[in-house]
């Protein structure tokens, strides 16, 4: 192309030897201006430097030769210079940000969240899984929640006040002391029952039961087993009290009813009552270990499935640990008081109450209330059928309970009722307590 430029210039000069120097110069300038405009267009496509240098040195003037084609002026070359080059990326409208759209839908959640875990738990509640997080260009819900938390502008970056290290320590010792209080009061009541007879014994039993009930209420109001505000169904404490009363009085009343009584006071299972009261302390510690262990795994896991698979063994292991403590306490109390240890009935009742309280403390109180109500109704029905069997032509009503007691003793009735109920609640707990949403807040927080 360089050679062509010079050839055309020399051809114009040789064709008209008599022309003055201005004519040749003008023709050369016209050709240079034409090639300068072409060079600017081809320069954006990567033309060689030699072509650009020739175009830049050629002057741009209007042609004055006769019959020569009109060269483009500077104003006509301006549109070519202002046009968008082919090699430069064309600016397009920004693509839609899916994370920003999600943040707009959950604006209040992102602003009020104290950490990314709270956002991840809320997203899980709304049905967002790890597979759905891929549509937002994230591998899991946790990384999506971290980006949402980081992108929210927050008012002020003031450092929080230094925490008072003595306050958590005082609170820790407070709920630990309250966890031991029911066992201490129950032990005092059992000692009073065994040292009195007649009417004083009945008064000691009433006062002891009231003191233990108040201690349990105080202990459940703080610590890891406290319930969130406005989540405990109304009937839950009623069914719990019935099940505990049956564990203390039910077996003796059932045996007396099958023998034609009761004709007077029937024996109470003081060993079961003392073991259950003393087991409240291990139950609180197991709940504490489960809450702290679950939140630690929540912070370390990078997916919902990974979190669920790591929390399930923790839940099962702590429930097994509590049942081991309860079995040891039943054996100890039965040996000290000279009573048989009802492992099946009392053990299944302890497991049922622990799982129900764990679910209620994490905000899932409806199902435990229903299951506890069904278990209490089943025990009441067993007692009612025995007394109804004394009516004329109704002896068949007491036959199933009589057969069950003959096969496994009076403790077989609460075992047959509480064991399936505990298993149902355990399956429900594996499905609910292994979610990230169940541990977004500490147990009992509103």
């Amino acid at each position: 192309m360089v050679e062509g430029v010079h050839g055309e210039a020399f051809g114009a000069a040789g064709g008209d030897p008599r022309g003055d120097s201005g004519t040749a110069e003008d023709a050369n300038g016209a050709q240079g201006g034409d090639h300068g405009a072409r060079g600017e267009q081809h320069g954006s496509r990567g033309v060689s430097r030699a072509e650009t240098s020739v175009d830049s040195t050629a002057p741009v003037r209007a042609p004055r030769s006769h019959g020569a084609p009109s060269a483009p002026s500077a104003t006509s070359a301006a549109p070519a210079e202002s046009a968008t080059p082919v090699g430069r990326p064309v600016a397009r409208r920004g693509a839609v940000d899916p994370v920003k759209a999600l943040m707009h839908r959950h604006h209040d959640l992102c602003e009020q969240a104290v950490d990314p875990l709270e956002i991840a738990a809320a997203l899980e509640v709304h049905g967002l899984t790890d597979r759905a997080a891929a549509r937002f260009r994230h591998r899991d819900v946790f990384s999506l929640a971290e980006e949402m938390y980081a992108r929210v502008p927050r008012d002020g970056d003031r450092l929080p006040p230094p925490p008072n290290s003595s306050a958590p320590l005082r609170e820790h010792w407070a709920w630990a002391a309250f966890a031991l209080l029911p066992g201490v009061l129950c032990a005092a009541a059992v000692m009073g029952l065994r040292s009195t007879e007649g009417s004083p014994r009945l008064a000691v039993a009433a006062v002891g039961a009231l003191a233990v009930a108040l201690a349990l209420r105080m202990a459940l109001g703080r610590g890891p087993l406290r319930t969130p505000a406005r989540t405990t169904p109304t009937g839950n404490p009623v069914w719990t009290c019935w099940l505990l009363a049956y564990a203390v009085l039910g077996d003796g009343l059932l045996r007396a009813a099958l023998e034609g009584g009761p004709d007077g006071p029937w024996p109470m299972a003081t060993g079961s009552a003392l073991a259950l009261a003393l087991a409240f302390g291990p139950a609180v510690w197991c709940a504490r270990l489960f809450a702290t262990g679950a939140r630690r795994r929540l912070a370390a896991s990078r997916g919902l499935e990974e979190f669920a698979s790591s929390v399930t063994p923790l839940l099962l292991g702590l429930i097994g640990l509590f049942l081991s403590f309860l079995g040891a306490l039943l054996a100890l109390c039965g040996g000290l008081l000279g009573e048989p240890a009802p492992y099946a009935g009392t053990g299944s009742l302890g497991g049922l109450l622990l799982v129900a309280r764990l679910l209620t403390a994490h905000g899932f109180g409806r199902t435990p209330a229903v299951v506890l109500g069904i278990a209490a109704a089943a025990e009441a029905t067993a007692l009612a059928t025995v007394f109804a069997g004394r009516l004329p032509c109704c002896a068949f009503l007491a036959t199933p309970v009589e057969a069950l007691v003959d096969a496994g003793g009076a403790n077989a009735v609460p075992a047959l009722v509480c064991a399936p109920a505990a298993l149902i609640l355990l399956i429900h707990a594996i499905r609910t307590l292994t979610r990230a949403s169940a541990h977004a807040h500490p147990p009992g927080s509103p």
Side-chain angles (χ1 to χ4, degrees), residues 365-400:
R366 186 176 300 274
T367 302
V370 174
V371 174
L372 291 178
I374 294 174
E379 291 182 347
T381 302
L383 281 175
T385 55
V386 174
F387 288 102
R390 298 179 182 180
L391 298 175
C393 301
C394 294
F396 66 94
L397 295 176
T399 302

Side-chain angles (χ1 to χ4, degrees), residues 58-317:
V60 180
R61 296 182 181 178
R64 287 182 290 180
S65 61
H66 299 283
S70 60
S73 61
T75 57
S76 63
E81 296 176 357
S82 61
T84 303
V86 178
R88 185 178 303 172
V90 180
R92 297 181 301 172
R93 183 180 299 176
V96 177
D97 188 356
V99 180
K100 186 176 182 180
L102 184 65
M103 291 174 61
H104 180 71
R105 291 199 299 268
H106 302 281
H107 181 265
D108 295 338
L109 170 66
C110 295
E111 283 191 345
Q112 299 174 5
V114 296
D115 54 14
L117 300 180
E118 185 175 349
I119 299 178
L123 293 178
E124 183 198 18
V125 171
H126 285 83
L128 187 67
T129 60
D130 290 342
R131 180 175 297 179
R135 294 188 289 108
F136 300 94
R137 303 165 187 169
H138 282 271
R139 63 181 181 276
D140 51 40
V141 177
F142 289 98
S143 60
L144 175 60
E146 289 176 355
E147 180 180 352
M148 294 173 64
Y149 181 80
R151 291 174 62 175
V152 173
R154 307 186 184 277
D155 298 335
D157 294 329
R158 298 189 305 267
L159 293 176
N164 187 4
S165 59
S166 60
L169 184 60
R170 288 196 301 268
E171 183 182 357
H172 175 78
W173 284 109
W175 66 257
F178 278 109
L180 300 177
L181 186 59
V184 174
L185 293 178
C186 187
V190 169
M191 292 176 61
L193 286 175
R194 298 183 69 88
S195 60
T196 56
E197 295 291 340
S199 298
R201 190 169 188 266
L202 183 60
V204 169
V207 172
L210 181 61
V212 173
L214 291 177
L216 284 173
R217 183 179 179 84
M218 294 174 61
L220 290 174
R222 53 182 50 83
L225 287 180
R226 69 184 184 276
T227 58
R230 301 177 183 177
T231 57
T232 306
T234 306
N236 204 344
V238 177
W239 311 136
T240 302
C241 291
W242 168 265
L243 293 172
L244 291 174
Y246 188 92
V248 180
L249 303 172
D251 291 347
L253 178 61
L254 182 61
R255 281 193 296 264
L258 291 175
E259 294 173 359
D263 298 330
W266 60 89
M268 295 185 296
T270 55
S272 298
L274 182 57
L276 288 173
L278 293 175
F280 185 78
V284 172
W285 281 105
C286 289
R288 175 73 173 182
L289 292 176
F290 175 71
T292 55
R295 288 190 63 83
R296 190 179 298 114
R297 285 165 172 77
L298 182 60
S301 61
R302 303 306 304 173
L304 299 177
E305 296 181 357
E306 178 185 353
F307 173 71
S309 61
S310 62
V311 172
T312 301
L314 176 65
L315 176 63
L316 297 177

